[in-house]
Amino acid sequence: MQQRKKSKVSLVGAGPGSEDLITVRGLRVLQSADVILYDALVSTKLLSQVNDSILKIYVGKRCSQHSFTQDDINMLIVENAFKYGHVVRLKGGDPFVFGRAHEEIEYVESFGIPVSIVPGISSALSVPASQGIPMTRRGVSSSFWVMTATKRDGSFSEDLKYASQSSATMVILMGVRKLQEITDEVCKYRGSEIPVAVIQNGTLKNESCTIATLGTIDTCSNNIDISKPGIIVIGNVVAEHPSFFEEEVQRVLHSSL
Ligand SMILES: C[S@@+](CC[C@H](N)C(=O)[O-])C[C@H]1O[C@@H](n2cnc3c(N)ncnc32)[C@H](O)[C@@H]1O
């Protein structure tokens, strides 16, 4: 008689987008899954590297037909662990960066199911890096803040104000829809000359990067698709981007015509 598989859950970071930016351990654990529950920002190319016999269930919150709530996801993890054995919960970037990982861990553990974590490469650092934008640079920036700009009720977080008053590199996730309000707010403290980058589809073939300053970003709205997630980087390190000075020269020339 076949023995029932032991239920367990692995929370695995898929990396920022490109299928080869998962860790070696992450891929190994993925390939040992009985079922994979994956998010919207997980690469389909990565999933295609996994054996066809492994069940793959989309549980993203970004879907036109059905959007899964966090409660739905928690329950699906537990149901599938009891039914199939090893569930890999595959999450974009690193599970512990704006990933609601703790809610999933607490729920799953309350059923006596063990959970292990495989860290991933967060988009917060790797997406700017893929554009040649460093987080720190000697003499330019000695720290960085990774944050969301707004609270649940849509108002600006205190952290946005505190970070704006520092000289830290600011890395803002989930902020593209409010780009103008965010840059206007930061501009009050840092001034209009500070460079800003907006990167979308980071590390993928269709990656796009818009470079401007806090004072000129409003003229770039045509380059940014606000329906797509992206990362906003604010700080002098953005001037390290290979096209920063060229784009600024073009803007100055155009504005003087
Ligand atoms: C819910 S947070 C999850 C972050 C994830 N845990 C991580 O460590 O990268 C999703 C946000 O991450 C950012 N993001 C994730 N992948 C991205 C990518 N490939 N390009 C640009 N932004 C990305 C966007 O700001 C998006 O709204």
Side-chain angles (χ1 to χ4, degrees), residues 50-70:
V50 177
N51 198 314
D52 282 346
S53 63
I54 299 174
L55 185 61
K56 302 170 193 87
I57 304 173
Y58 173 81
V59 293
K61 295 184 182 129
R62 208 185 300 265
C63 180
S64 50
Q65 282 144 7
H66 183 65
S67 181
F68 290 85
T69 66
Q70 191 59 51

Side-chain angles (χ1 to χ4, degrees), residues 153-222:
D153 63 4
S155 63
F156 286 128
S157 69
E158 290 301 304
D159 281 357
L160 185 77
K161 286 185 197 145
Y162 293 136
S164 301
Q165 289 167 57
S166 76
S167 59
T169 302
M170 297 169 69
V171 182
I172 302 169
L173 271 60
M174 298 177 279
V176 170
R177 276 180 198 280
K178 292 210 164 187
L179 175 65
Q180 198 54 55
E181 291 107 300
I182 292 169
T183 49
D184 285 349
E185 181 69 12
V186 181
C187 194
K188 287 183 199 161
Y189 303 94
R190 293 219 182 171
S192 59
E193 301 298 314
I194 295 295
V196 52
V198 180
I199 311 161
Q200 297 184 288
N201 297 311
T203 75
L204 298 170
K205 280 216 174 80
N206 56 347
E207 174 168 303
S208 68
C209 181
T210 303
I211 303 279
T213 63
L214 291 175
T216 57
I217 188 72
D218 61 329
T219 63
C220 305
S221 53
N222 287 348

Side-chain angles (χ1 to χ4, degrees), residues 88-163:
V88 166
R89 174 73 178 101
L90 188 61
K91 298 168 88 71
D94 180 85
F96 280 176
V97 178
F98 299 120
R100 302 186 70 171
H102 269 104
E103 291 167 57
E104 297 180 6
I105 294 168
E106 275 168 24
Y107 188 80
V108 170
E109 285 183 343
S110 74
F111 288 83
I113 301 170
V115 181
S116 59
I117 320 289
V118 182
I121 301 174
S122 178
S123 63
L125 311 186
S126 58
V127 165
S130 76
Q131 280 290 331
I133 300 172
M135 292 290 97
T136 61
R137 187 180 160 163
R138 189 181 275 250
V140 178
S141 170
S142 59
S143 65
F144 55 88
W145 287 51
V146 176
M147 70 190 96
T148 64
T150 48
K151 297 191 279 202
R152 265 193 210 170
D153 63 4
S155 63
F156 286 128
S157 69
E158 290 301 304
D159 281 357
L160 185 77
K161 286 185 197 145
Y162 293 136

